[in-house]
Amino acid sequence: MRHSVILIPSLNPGNELISYVKELTGQGFMHIIVVNDGSGQEYSPIFESLRGMGCIVLRHAVNYGKGRALKNGLNEFLNRFGNVEEICGVITADSDGQHLVKDVVRMDESLWEAGREQEKLILGVRNFDQADVPFKSRFGNKTTCFFFRLLYGFSISDTQTGLRGITTGCVKNFLALKGERFEYETAMLIEVVRKRIAMEELPIETVYVDGNGGTHFRPVQDSVIIYSMILGGFLKYTISSLSASLIDITLFHFLVLWMPGTGGIWAATLFARAVSSFYNYSMNRKVVFRGGGGMVQSLWRYYALCVVQGACSAALVSWLAGMAPISETWCKVVVDTVLFFLSYQIQRKFVFRTCDGDKSE
């Protein structure tokens, strides 16, 4: 008997799903959860056959999407097998035969080595450089991997793989995530990076059935949703920064009108910057990065970064203005733009990271 539960979300499957399940049971996988995600009535005999083979079959009355199917399946897994010592985790697999049983067996072995209590996600990653990989799949995956690495500082070979191994101790991290369709799998990866959960890549064989013609992935709509999720954190960071700048300028404007003169300019500058910076800190902590542990820890990191960033801006603008035949203003635009992107990574990785011993407030 294998040590993992298999979770298969399915919409309008073919008879190959029955063959796939037979092959899985033949390899010792005795616990299989299949989620019927709103398939038509004509597919009922397939799911009845799976139930007769011992599968746990969950049914959605309507098609909710792969993300919802996975979440409901993971919830079922925890309710039934969360306290079973012999079960080390759950393996998600697609219903179209793209994930070979031999790779599922290897995934089970990797989960067993990791241990049920450890928080770990194992990705079955495909080789997109093979000649038989459809262009749209190769281009889409490489583009998504690029943006994920750029914005989250984490290199992943296959962001959309459906073959994933999740240790029992890690499943709860993914139950409340946003995402009803394919973007849910991206949300899992973002959560892994955000919480610094262990992740491993397991190379698997790349299989495309009928040129991947059976996929329910909508190229335009689902891609927009996925990229909205990937870019969402950075867009929130940008809005937080711009709104903080607007608060700073507005407060300065009215305070200078009320307190004219050199003293008033200094007082207006300090007060406006204090208010706008604390607003920016609060937005980044609660909305953008949603982390940072205790407020004291993240607050001093944030203002330390502000001081260092301001000093770097002044030094680099002075250096660049002396080297390039452009005005100090344009030098500052270039320098501060670069620092803006660097600050995002520093805040994500250092300022608002959760440290051991920190307590969220």
Side-chain angles (χ1 to χ4, degrees):
M1 182 178 127
R2 297 291 173 179
H3 299 285
S4 304
V5 174
I6 305 298
L7 169 58
I8 304 176
S10 182
L11 172 63
N12 299 336
N15 287 316
E16 63 271 10
L17 178 56
I18 296 176
S19 300
Y20 188 58
V21 169
K22 285 181 179 178
E23 193 175 352
L24 286 169
T25 56
Q27 289 295 322
F29 291 101
M30 306 310 296
H31 304 294
I32 300 175
I33 300 172
V34 178
V35 182
N36 173 6
D37 186 28
S39 301
Q41 278 298 122
E42 62 270 29
Y43 298 93
S44 295
I46 293 177
F47 292 105
E48 286 303 318
S49 295
L50 295 174
R51 188 176 281 110
M53 295 165 59
C55 294
I56 301 166
V57 179
L58 309 181
R59 179 177 177 270
H60 291 167
V62 296
N63 174 232
Y64 286 115
K66 187 179 183 181
R68 177 77 73 89
L70 287 172
K71 282 184 275 191
N72 287 347
L74 291 175
N75 182 72
E76 184 73 13
F77 163 78
L78 280 185
N79 285 335
R80 286 180 178 261
F81 305 102
N83 295 319
V84 179
E85 292 295 327
E86 294 78 14
I87 300 297
C88 59
V90 56
I91 298 173
T92 66
D94 293 344
S95 63
D96 55 7
Q98 290 193 19
H99 302 137
L100 301 184
V101 172
K102 66 177 183 179
D103 289 326
V104 179
V105 169
R106 292 171 56 231
M107 182 70 76
D108 173 74
E109 293 169 350
S110 295
L111 279 176
W112 180 249
E113 291 177 4
R116 69 187 311 274
E117 300 299 331
Q118 183 185 174
E119 291 192 351
K120 189 172 188 178
L121 172 67
I122 304 174
L123 300 177
V125 298
R126 298 161 290 181
N127 180 6
F128 285 89
D129 293 323
Q130 292 181 193
D132 59 341
V133 175
F135 172 78
K136 65 178 182 180
S137 298
R138 180 186 298 111
F139 177 79
N141 185 76
K142 287 187 177 294
T143 302
T144 306
C145 290
F146 169 78
F147 280 106
F148 197 92
R149 182 170 60 251
L150 178 67
L151 295 176
Y152 295 95
F154 203 97
S155 181
I156 297 176
S157 303
D158 187 355
T159 57
Q160 292 301 308
T161 178
L163 184 62
R164 302 180 177 204
I166 311 169
T167 57
T168 301
C170 189
V171 172
K172 285 186 178 180
N173 291 294
F174 305 133
L175 291 182
L177 296 181
K178 293 181 179 180
E180 297 297 292
R181 289 182 56 83
F182 293 92
E183 75 276 10
Y184 172 71
E185 293 172 315
T186 301
M188 291 175 64
L189 301 180
I190 294 174
E191 188 72 359
V192 164
V193 174
R194 191 178 78 84
K195 290 188 174 180
R196 295 189 292 172
I197 296 171
M199 183 156 58
E200 175 187 335
E201 292 192 345
L202 179 71
I204 63 174
E205 190 166 335
T206 306
V207 178
Y208 282 97
V209 180
D210 296 328
N212 206 27
T215 181
H216 299 287
F217 184 85
R218 303 170 303 181
V220 177
Q221 300 98 312
D222 288 323
S223 294
V224 169
I225 297 173
I226 288 172
Y227 281 108
S228 296
M229 182 165 285
I230 292 176
L231 299 173
F234 183 73
L235 292 177
K236 290 177 184 177
Y237 168 76
T238 302
I239 292 171
S240 173
S241 300
L242 291 176
S243 57
S245 297
L246 182 61
I247 291 172
D248 184 76
I249 293 172
T250 302
L251 283 176
F252 176 82
H253 172 74
F254 286 107
L255 287 172
V256 165
L257 291 178
W258 181 49
M259 299 182 296
T262 303
I265 292 175
W266 275 95
T269 299
L270 291 173
F271 183 79
R273 185 56 53 87
V275 172
S276 63
S277 63
F278 188 75
Y279 160 83
N280 182 242
Y281 160 80
S282 300
M283 287 291 291
N284 287 354
R285 179 171 182 260
K286 294 293 186 180
V287 178
V288 180
F289 300 103
R290 298 183 295 121
M295 184 174 179
V296 174
Q297 291 87 348
S298 58
L299 190 63
W300 77 257
R301 296 176 196 146
Y302 173 83
Y303 280 105
L305 175 62
C306 289
V307 172
V308 173
Q309 188 172 342
C312 288
S313 176
L316 290 172
V317 168
S318 298
W319 173 79
L320 188 59
M323 296 287 293
I326 55 177
S327 68
E328 288 85 351
T329 300
W330 281 109
C331 289
K332 183 171 178 58
V333 169
V334 173
V335 168
D336 284 357
T337 298
V338 174
L339 291 177
F340 177 76
F341 286 94
L342 288 176
S343 179
Y344 171 76
Q345 294 293 350
I346 293 171
Q347 289 187 53
R348 183 181 63 79
K349 292 182 177 180
F350 175 70
V351 176
F352 295 103
R353 67 183 173 88
T354 301
C355 296
D356 295 336
D358 284 355
K359 295 181 180 180
S360 298
E361 298 181 4

